[in-house]
Amino acid sequence: MRIGQAIDIHQLVSGRPLILGGVSIPHDQGLLGHSDADVLVHAIGESILGALALGDLGKHFPDTDPKYKDIDSMKILAKIYEMMKERKYHVGNVDATILAEKPKMAPYIQQMRQNLADCLHCSVDQISIKATRGEKMGFVGKEEGMVAMSICLLEEECA
């Protein structure tokens, strides 16, 4: 077994879509980044890379590479899944938390879980996503950015 954890942070800006867990969420701001800036998928992907001792997201998908400009982060996660499979691991479980003042995440969490389970070839009951607010404090509470945190357990494939 291997455990990985990660945190990702992106600034909120006007003129960008808000995409979390592969779900497009109606909102007046989106996340700024080289890719689609899906902070949740980035945290989950990086927690898997961490569990595999493969470094961070930027090492494998640098924001200086034009081929990753505006890329769907679920495609990045699919590549991370392939790295995991090459090393003969599978997801035991993922537990992630989104920190966002607005919008409410509850209506979208089940679809996020399903998208992530599909991409990681596991059951939706192996993916937990929660959300909390900044209670008007800090950059999350002031709606300047969003954060996602993830921890994952990877299990070795049986021989």
Side-chain angles (χ1 to χ4, degrees):
M1 284 189 269
R2 289 175 171 252
I3 297 170
Q5 64 87 35
I7 185 169
D8 197 46
I9 303 168
H10 283 272
Q11 182 181 357
L12 279 163
V13 295
S14 296
R16 294 261 312 180
L18 178 58
I19 301 169
L20 295 170
V23 177
S24 184
I25 299 172
H27 193 51
D28 60 343
Q29 292 184 304
L31 295 167
L32 182 62
H34 186 69
S35 67
D36 66 5
D38 187 329
V39 71
L40 176 62
V41 172
H42 291 183
I44 290 170
E46 195 161 270
S47 70
I48 294 169
L49 289 173
L52 297 169
L54 293 177
D56 64 20
L57 213 58
K59 176 180 175 181
H60 299 277
F61 310 97
D63 63 6
T64 54
D65 191 331
K67 74 180 173 185
Y68 300 118
K69 179 72 177 143
D70 297 323
I71 191 171
D72 178 343
S73 293
M74 295 299 285
K75 291 180 180 177
I76 291 172
L77 189 60
K79 291 179 183 190
I80 293 170
Y81 170 79
E82 292 302 324
M83 293 178 202
M84 181 179 64
K85 291 307 287 181
E86 286 170 10
R87 287 158 181 81
K88 300 190 181 348
Y89 283 91
H90 65 268
V91 169
N93 74 298
V94 170
D95 185 20
T97 304
I98 303 165
L99 288 83
E101 193 68 19
K102 290 179 185 171
K104 295 263 186 208
M105 296 294 147
Y108 309 102
I109 286 179
Q110 189 58 35
Q111 186 60 56
M112 291 178 198
R113 291 177 67 214
Q114 189 63 60
N115 291 349
L116 292 160
D118 291 347
C119 189
L120 295 172
H121 302 270
C122 66
S123 171
V124 73
D125 68 1
Q126 292 169 275
I127 307 292
S128 172
I129 300 171
K130 304 170 302 295
T132 191
R133 298 176 42 224
E135 300 296 335
K136 308 257 186 240
M137 296 181 292
F139 71 89
V140 170
K142 293 175 185 170
E143 299 179 56
E144 297 170 347
M146 289 185 182
V147 179
M149 301 180 296
S150 174
I151 188 164
C152 72
L153 172 70
L154 302 184
E155 298 174 332
E156 208 165 355
E157 297 286 342
C158 297

